[in-house]
Amino acid sequence: MSKTPPLLPEETLQRVLRVARVDGMSVLLIAGFLALASAAAGDYMGALIGLVIAAAGAIELHGDGLLRNGFPLGMKWLIGSQLYLMAVVLGYCAMRLTHVALPPIPDTLKPMIEMSAQQWKMATDDYLLMVYRLSFRLLALLTFLYQGGMAFYYFRRRAAVAQALAAAE
């Protein structure tokens, strides 16, 4: 079984730029849209959180721009954007888990939720609390894994990116 050779620094730089552009734009657009939707619905706390999360996308795009202009400092911005986003989402999850506020259940969903609660042999309120807590714990875990993985991805490619930028000068 042959092992593939490592990527050339220029290829690594191009991949990092592509990942940063897609990830940064995704975070910025999705969080920005959700912030607008929250504001339109009168949920100003949700709008604020959406804007704080959208800032992570802007930070990542700033790092992308620095790299595109030949500044190795952009890697620190890429790594920082992931750590910032992770801290914000984990903080939000911690806040929601310590200050539980179950949303109202629409009438159309009540029969389905009551049936699910009965299948678990739980009271409806206990079932809703379990789903609420499980949801935020799962969001925290996925955020830790994804944003941590992205920060590690960028961290591992710092030297190759710096080498590619130095060669381009």
Side-chain angles (χ1 to χ4, degrees), residues 118-136:
Q118 288 173 356
Q119 289 175 343
W120 283 83
K121 297 178 177 44
M122 299 175 80
T124 303
D125 289 343
D126 292 338
Y127 174 77
L128 286 173
L129 185 60
M130 178 193 71
V131 170
Y132 178 91
R133 288 181 174 153
L134 183 62
S135 298
F136 281 105

Side-chain angles (χ1 to χ4, degrees), residues 5 11 20 27 29 41 87 93 103 107 111 113 117 125 134 151-152 159 167:
E11 293 171 324
V27 170
L29 292 174
C93 288
D107 290 334
I113 290 172
D125 289 343
L134 183 62
F152 187 68

